[in-house]
Amino acid sequence: MNEKIYLLIKKTTSKLPQDLLDLLQVALNRESGVARDTISQILKNSDLASARHLPLCQDTGVLHFYVKRPLHYTEAYIKKESATAMKRAFKEGLLRVGSYPEFHFEESAGKKLEIQLLMKGGGSENMSFQYSLPDTELTALRDDDGIIKVVLDALVKAQGFGCPPGIIGICIGGDRAMGHALSKKVLLRNLSDINQDARLATLEKKIVKMANQLGIGPMGLGGKTTLLAAKCIAYQTLPASFFVTISYMCHAYRKGRIVI
Amino acid sequence: MKKVGDQILYSGILVTARDKVCARLVATKRSPFPLEGAIVYHAGPVVTKKGGRWKIEALGPTTSLRMEAYTHDLMNLFGIQGFIGKGGLGERSSKAFKQYGGFYASALGGGGQLLADSVIQVIDCFFLEEFGPADAMWVVLVKDFPMIVTMDEEGNSLHNRVEKNSKENFRKIADNR
């Protein structure tokens, strides 16, 4: 199993997923000047990394392993195999010293083991934010308008620090810990999918449209493309709380999946 | 004089310095490598050792703003002429650029391969054992390292402009609904 996890890491660190590449291509066609040059560079970097099987970005980040495990696989075994795989990846320069794993386990009734990997660096993580509604400073109430407002505020705070244009995961509800966890997990979705919940689907579209009106642009140097996609999830919450948590993901959007 | 908007392919020496190295240089007022006229790159690479020699596998920039507090002292103490990173620096750095004649250039965040490609040679490395490879001071010779000047010695900052503009846009779209 450690061989399969090693290959998952190798692919994830070096190859941008097709759904992101498609969105970057759209962005490239829409931009001009420095914004266009930046997207060009991102695509060139992607070609080089993919051809060489070397890291897209030197911040290989936290390796989030989302595991759906049939009961005959123990957590301990999966962690051990992952550690072996990572050791080899470090040696070969696929991971930077300092990267470490986080495991998110779920039991599966089936026979197959599914591992999804999300590699998330510190730059984007530093630009994740959590808001508590109502937010009096921003005049944001516990409604869709309020949610949109705080999301846009988060993007304005982030400027170019989180390496736009990337994507954001948004959790509406949950306690603080769940807000951060789910807004990150939702980043695994296929970027071209449409949310099954009609209200959230509308919200996602609106957010991207308005985000791109901010003019922050690629790497915060100005432009029409500040956000490529937004993915929302709603979760239960206590009457007293209403958290909106935004997980910021950069353009080095590294995700992968294997089924064993 | 480098001006905001200048797109440069830089050939020469770069010295990486991020959180730990910047703090150490300012605290001790000493540098193991001469920094007069140097260009400092806020970055921490992925490296491997092949046949006894270091190879830079990925070399994109880190967020410069974390090192904002050090710019003035680094220029004053060592005569550093400019900084490269991502996201820009702040007001105090801008003043230092005015005072000492410096600049800030943005390199592609996440451009691990693109930027590592410009490295011709790893000249030296300092603080490696103490700080580890991601935080060490790497002295590298580069050719055609692509960067764009986003802060100059006249106090111009593209980052400020974009931020101001984005806040105005936010106000407009937030209120128009």
Side-chain angles (χ1 to χ4, degrees):
Chain A
M1 184 189 295
N2 66 71
E3 170 77 18
K4 293 195 167 89
I5 297 175
Y6 158 78
L7 289 170
L8 173 64
I9 294 171
K10 185 169 183 173
K11 187 171 181 201
T12 305
T13 196
S14 63
K15 198 168 157 67
L16 285 179
Q18 193 56 48
D19 54 356
L20 183 85
L21 288 170
D22 291 342
L23 292 173
L24 283 173
Q25 193 57 48
V26 172
L28 180 75
N29 295 336
R30 149 172 79 210
E31 296 282 13
S32 60
V34 170
R36 191 188 166 93
D37 291 342
T38 303
I39 308 257
S40 280
Q41 283 189 328
I42 292 171
L43 291 170
K44 171 128 197 263
N45 186 65
S46 167
D47 286 342
L48 293 172
S50 172
R52 297 167 183 172
H53 308 289
L54 282 176
L56 285 151
C57 176
Q58 74 290 338
D59 186 349
T60 52
V62 175
L63 276 69
H64 289 275
F65 291 102
Y66 294 89
V67 184
K68 288 196 178 123
R69 65 170 185 101
L71 294 179
H72 61 275
Y73 288 109
T74 63
E75 292 184 7
Y77 174 68
I78 293 165
K79 283 183 176 177
K80 183 166 154 286
E81 292 298 287
S82 300
T84 304
M86 286 185 70
K87 199 169 172 199
R88 188 175 163 194
F90 279 119
K91 200 156 175 246
E92 296 179 8
L94 299 172
L95 296 175
R96 186 176 66 175
V97 169
S99 273
Y100 64 90
E102 287 289 0
F103 295 91
H104 313 266
F105 289 108
E106 222 181 280
E107 281 179 10
S108 168
K111 291 201 171 95
K112 295 199 187 273
L113 173 74
E114 181 198 80
I115 302 179
Q116 287 190 276
L117 171 60
L118 180 75
M119 291 175 64
K120 194 167 189 297
S124 68
E125 190 71 358
N126 288 351
M127 292 302 123
S128 292
F129 297 106
Q130 187 169 73
Y131 293 80
S132 178
L133 297 185
D135 185 313
T136 38
E137 211 183 293
L138 292 171
T139 323
L141 302 177
R142 291 182 175 186
D143 53 25
D144 287 359
D145 281 355
I147 293 167
I148 292 172
K149 213 168 203 182
V150 298
V151 169
L152 293 176
D153 184 71
L155 292 172
V156 169
K157 282 216 296 255
Q159 290 298 303
F161 301 122
C163 292
I167 68 170
I168 54 175
I170 303 161
C171 179
I172 303 160
D175 66 0
R176 289 192 183 275
M178 194 55 90
H180 281 297
L182 289 181
S183 60
K184 185 173 284 166
K185 190 173 180 185
V186 84
L187 293 170
L188 288 172
R189 270 172 55 190
N190 188 309
L191 299 186
S192 58
D193 75 5
I194 297 173
N195 202 311
Q196 287 179 334
D197 180 307
R199 171 210 166 207
L200 294 180
T202 305
L203 207 55
E204 289 171 1
K205 268 178 93 171
K206 252 188 178 167
I207 285 169
V208 173
K209 184 156 177 256
M210 295 171 84
N212 288 330
Q213 290 170 343
L214 292 171
I216 293 168
M219 292 310 299
L221 302 180
K224 301 178 185 143
T225 317
T226 300
L227 187 67
L228 296 173
K231 297 300 177 190
C232 291
I233 184 168
Y235 193 78
Q236 58 200 344
T237 183
L238 295 177
S241 303
F242 195 107
F243 296 113
V244 178
T245 316
I246 298 113
S247 274
Y248 197 106
M249 182 74 214
C250 64
H251 59 72
Y253 171 53
R254 292 155 290 179
K255 69 177 175 185
R257 178 177 175 268
I258 52 170
V259 176
I260 300 172
Chain B
M1 192 208 93
K2 290 181 172 57
K3 290 193 72 178
V4 167
D6 288 350
Q7 287 178 277
I8 299 174
L9 292 174
Y10 170 73
S11 296
I13 290 180
L14 286 181
V15 178
T16 75
R18 50 183 300 174
D19 309 67
K20 292 183 182 172
V21 167
C22 286
R24 177 62 62 86
L25 292 175
V26 168
T28 61
K29 301 186 170 55
R30 278 190 341 258
S31 171
F33 184 82
L35 295 175
E36 180 71 42
I39 299 180
V40 163
Y41 183 30
H42 293 143
V46 177
V47 293
T48 53
K49 209 164 192 186
K50 290 186 165 127
R53 304 182 78 188
W54 290 108
K55 180 171 178 267
I56 306 272
E57 303 287 6
L59 191 61
T62 190
T63 306
S64 297
L65 204 59
R66 292 196 314 273
M67 276 65 74
E68 164 66 5
Y70 304 114
T71 306
H72 176 270
D73 289 347
L74 288 172
M75 295 184 80
N76 177 33
L77 292 167
F78 301 103
I80 288 163
Q81 69 157 306
F83 296 81
I84 306 172
K86 73 163 154 116
L89 286 166
E91 198 50 49
R92 200 166 169 239
S93 296
S94 191
K95 290 199 172 93
F97 295 149
K98 268 177 144 165
Q99 186 176 355
Y100 300 108
F103 71 91
Y104 177 89
S106 295
L108 181 69
Q113 294 308 306
L114 189 74
L115 297 169
D117 269 10
S118 67
V119 177
I120 297 180
Q121 193 191 344
V122 177
I123 293 173
D124 213 334
C125 185
F126 304 95
F127 305 111
L128 183 59
E129 253 173 57
E130 202 186 339
F131 295 158
D135 267 294
M137 176 193 267
W138 293 89
V139 182
V140 296
L141 180 65
V142 299
K143 185 175 186 300
D144 296 336
F145 180 97
M147 59 193 203
I148 173 168
V149 178
T150 49
M151 292 175 77
D152 61 31
E153 67 184 53
E154 283 178 348
N156 299 309
S157 165
L158 179 56
H159 308 280
N160 280 0
R161 220 184 298 156
V162 171
E163 189 183 358
K164 187 158 172 267
N165 190 42
S166 71
K167 285 178 174 165
E168 264 167 43
N169 289 334
F170 176 40
R171 264 189 298 270
K172 268 189 243 164
I173 51 185
D175 292 337
N176 260 15
R177 287 175 12 249

